Amino acid sequence: MPKKRSRLITIGDTAFRWRVRHKPAYDSSPPLTFTVERAEQPGNVLVVSLPCARPDNWQGGRTIAVRPVLVAGCVQRALEQGWNSGQQGKPFTLTVTEDELPDLLGESPQYLIPFLWGMIPEGGGIEDLPRCTQIWSRTDQLPSDQ
């Protein structure tokens, strides 16, 4: 795994490196995935697949922010399921379901919906995007409204 655009996280006594894939795969509905491996002496890679879309998806699917608490929860779950991060081999895949997200996050997931200039919290509106509010107020003053 490239060190560029990756982050470090320590779980127990082991340091891991994780990153969300830089470029999206343009298929019908790519899931949000991230990879994890040991920072020192990389071995078997963990590939985590989440039940939501990437933040840069162009179909408007809901997404979540991949935060360290989610990464730590997924690493713990993978270790419990038999992932051996120090051994070479095929990538270990962990598929997270919608029902498992609250346990891994320690709270209910806060979904985001991509919208033109940013992200709107699920169930939110244009008032949740200050930049959109400014653009909206500028269009209220256009001469064509008279």
Side-chain angles (χ1 to χ4, degrees):
M1 173 187 313
K3 290 184 180 182
K4 191 173 183 176
R5 293 188 181 98
S6 67
R7 298 182 63 185
L8 291 173
I9 187 169
T10 302
I11 300 168
D13 294 335
T14 308
F16 293 94
R17 183 172 302 284
W18 66 276
R19 84 190 275 258
V20 176
R21 184 175 174 195
H22 176 60
K23 293 186 178 185
Y26 289 105
D27 61 7
S28 61
S29 174
L32 176 57
T33 59
F34 63 92
T35 55
V36 182
E37 71 178 4
R38 280 186 177 212
E40 301 294 324
Q41 300 173 343
N44 199 349
V45 174
L46 170 64
V47 179
V48 179
S49 179
L50 300 172
C52 45
R54 289 178 50 89
D56 57 0
N57 80 87
W58 49 280
Q59 295 179 336
R62 68 183 185 168
T63 188
I64 60 172
V66 179
R67 302 181 324 201
V69 68
L70 177 59
V71 174
C74 291
V75 168
Q76 291 286 5
R77 176 80 42 96
L79 291 169
E80 292 167 5
Q81 292 181 8
W83 176 46
N84 186 345
S85 63
Q87 183 180 16
Q88 294 293 327
K90 295 188 334 185
F92 186 92
T93 302
L94 177 69
T95 302
V96 177
T97 65
E98 192 84 30
D99 296 335
E100 294 172 320
L101 275 177
D103 290 338
L104 295 171
L105 289 167
E107 63 184 14
S108 295
Q110 297 175 358
Y111 293 104
L112 302 168
I113 311 273
F115 178 78
L116 299 178
W117 300 283
M119 297 282 184
I120 297 176
E122 186 174 44
I126 198 164
E127 65 276 358
D128 295 314
L129 286 173
R131 185 172 173 194
C132 288
T133 304
Q134 291 173 1
I135 292 169
W136 185 269
S137 64
R138 287 183 196 153
T139 59
D140 286 344
Q141 300 168 4
L142 291 177
S144 61
D145 288 344
Q146 296 174 343

